[in-house]
Amino acid sequence: MKKLHVLLAAFLIPSLLLPACAPARPNCESEEVFCVGLVTDIGKISDRSFNQSAWKGVQQAQEQMGALVQYIETADIRDSYKNIATFAEENYDVIVTVGFNLRQATRTAAGNYPDVKFIGIDQDQFEGTLDNVAGLVFPEDQAGFLVGALAAMMSETHKVGAVCATDAVPPVWRLGEGYKAGAAYVDELMSMSTDVLVLYHSDAGFDTTFIDPEWGESRANAMVKEGVDVIFGCGSVTGNGAITAAARAGIYAIGVDTDQYLTLPEVAPRMLSSAMKLITPGVFELLQKARNGSFPGGNYLGDVTYAPFHDLANQVPPEVKAAMEQINAGLLDGSIETQVPSEKP
């Protein structure tokens, strides 16, 4: 387990400060103090993707609600429960756990600590609702569909690719399959034919599948040699390796989870868009509900969209921009369906 990082020393009131000015443990038993802990998925808090987006939502609660916030980085998936229990034993009000990999540990902790509220990002609660667990879930198939459609419309070679973490994680699989479906949709709409290559890092264990940028880079480079001219990176640091390689090769890169134009400056000049889960506002909304007594147990559906084109806006034809707006509207109103099931068959 990584060292517990205390992030609010500058904000603690004098009564909470030790004589040497080091922060003491927050008094989370007090009703006046709202304590929020976050346990990351495998990897760092500053992964410039999934963990970081969740942490921004917690930081927003710090800034706007006066919450005391801390995080623990998960180095080994076997430490998940221990990391969560660290906050629960300190009487934290809410514990945010990031990623499908932490799903079972979160549900177990929720049963053992019924007075603590848990927000599980990408953790569906279909097997049974627990009053103190909200699973922040997203229609990843729609996010993948959007950028798949964009990739197909922007490709000059009519070959596009996606490099993803394991397809054993349903949200990752839905992103990849949604990407295929979006490309197929515009192919039919525009009488085109696009080859779509989606690779999943399913030969790796959970401890490495999301944090293997070398694998992502090598697979992206292989795709470039095959004529792929748009690559979607889907799966935290592994995906980052792929889109970094795409940018170096001078082709279009598409990010995931957050607007990675803003978090990967080395890729920004070639970042066409990102398949965005609006994780930060989703986390903050649930923290607000936890604070005001309206916390919803069960699944809580967040929103998805595609990121702005930023530096490449002038390269995106007006008809592509219009088509993207229409596809997004169709997904929102239900007139367009991805046909991607919620679980891998």
Side-chain angles (χ1 to χ4, degrees):
M1 184 183 73
K2 294 289 186 180
K3 183 180 178 182
L4 188 65
H5 300 270
V6 181
L7 303 177
L8 293 177
F11 298 96
L12 293 174
I13 58 176
S15 62
L16 289 177
L17 296 179
L18 296 174
C21 296
R25 293 178 177 178
N27 180 19
C28 295
E29 293 184 357
S30 170
E31 292 185 3
E32 287 73 31
V33 180
F34 185 54
C35 293
V36 180
L38 181 142
V39 178
T40 73
D41 199 351
I42 296 293
K44 299 291 186 180
I45 195 74
S46 56
D47 65 350
R48 301 192 285 186
S49 182
F50 204 58
N51 291 323
Q52 189 167 329
S53 296
W55 179 237
K56 285 182 179 179
V58 174
Q59 289 178 305
Q60 191 174 348
Q62 173 193 350
E63 296 164 1
Q64 298 187 24
M65 299 163 59
L68 294 180
V69 303
Q70 300 182 19
Y71 66 82
I72 299 174
E73 292 176 333
T74 301
D76 189 320
I77 197 64
R78 292 170 293 186
D79 291 335
S80 299
Y81 181 83
K82 180 171 61 175
N83 293 344
I84 295 167
T86 298
F87 286 129
E89 289 292 332
E90 292 292 333
N91 298 298
Y92 272 64
D93 297 285
V94 185
I95 301 172
V96 179
T97 64
V98 184
F100 182 83
N101 293 339
L102 276 66
R103 180 179 181 276
Q104 189 54 56
T106 300
R107 289 180 63 85
T108 300
N112 293 336
Y113 300 96
D115 294 332
V116 179
K117 294 179 175 61
F118 295 84
I119 299 171
I121 302 173
D122 267 6
Q123 299 171 25
D124 69 73
Q125 305 296 310
F126 292 118
E127 72 182 46
T129 297
L130 300 174
D131 291 341
N132 61 330
V133 181
L136 179 57
V137 295
F138 300 88
E140 292 91 359
D141 56 314
Q142 295 184 10
F145 191 97
L146 285 165
V147 296
L150 176 63
M153 289 187 287
M154 291 297 294
S155 175
E156 294 183 358
T157 64
H158 299 290
K159 293 182 179 181
V160 303
V163 178
C164 303
T166 178
D167 58 356
V169 172
V172 174
W173 180 79
R174 288 193 292 268
L175 280 164
E177 298 308 300
Y179 185 77
K180 292 179 186 177
Y185 177 82
V186 297
D187 274 356
E188 183 175 354
L189 190 69
M190 301 181 177
S191 299
M192 303 189 309
S193 180
T194 304
D195 291 333
V196 184
L197 179 59
V198 177
L199 295 180
Y200 296 101
H201 198 8
S202 297
D203 55 342
F206 280 121
D207 286 353
T208 59
T209 185
F210 288 92
I211 53 171
D212 194 351
E214 292 80 12
W215 184 89
E217 179 182 2
S218 67
R219 295 307 182 271
N221 286 334
M223 286 184 180
V224 172
K225 290 180 181 178
E226 294 181 27
V228 168
D229 62 354
V230 186
I231 291 180
F232 174 36
C234 169
S236 193
V237 177
T238 299
N240 290 354
I243 58 177
T244 300
R248 289 198 194 107
I251 67 171
Y252 289 130
I254 297 177
V256 74
D257 293 335
T258 186
D259 184 353
Q260 290 199 286
Y261 173 90
L262 304 174
T263 61
L264 287 175
E266 61 271 35
V267 183
R270 299 303 303 165
M271 187 71 78
L272 181 60
S273 184
S274 295
M276 292 179 62
K277 297 179 183 180
L278 301 185
I279 297 169
T280 299
V283 169
F284 181 65
E285 287 169 13
L286 284 169
L287 289 173
Q288 286 181 309
K289 291 179 180 295
R291 186 57 165 160
N292 67 24
S294 61
F295 189 75
N299 287 319
Y300 188 85
L301 189 62
D303 296 323
V304 299
T305 189
Y306 62 99
F309 306 123
H310 294 295
D311 295 351
L312 301 178
N314 290 336
Q315 296 184 28
V316 181
E319 58 270 25
V320 172
K321 293 176 181 177
M324 287 299 294
E325 291 176 2
Q326 292 171 1
I327 293 169
N328 190 40
L331 290 169
L332 289 172
D333 67 22
S335 60
I336 297 175
E337 297 182 356
T338 69
Q339 305 301 324
V340 176
S342 59
E343 298 286 341
K344 182 181 178 182

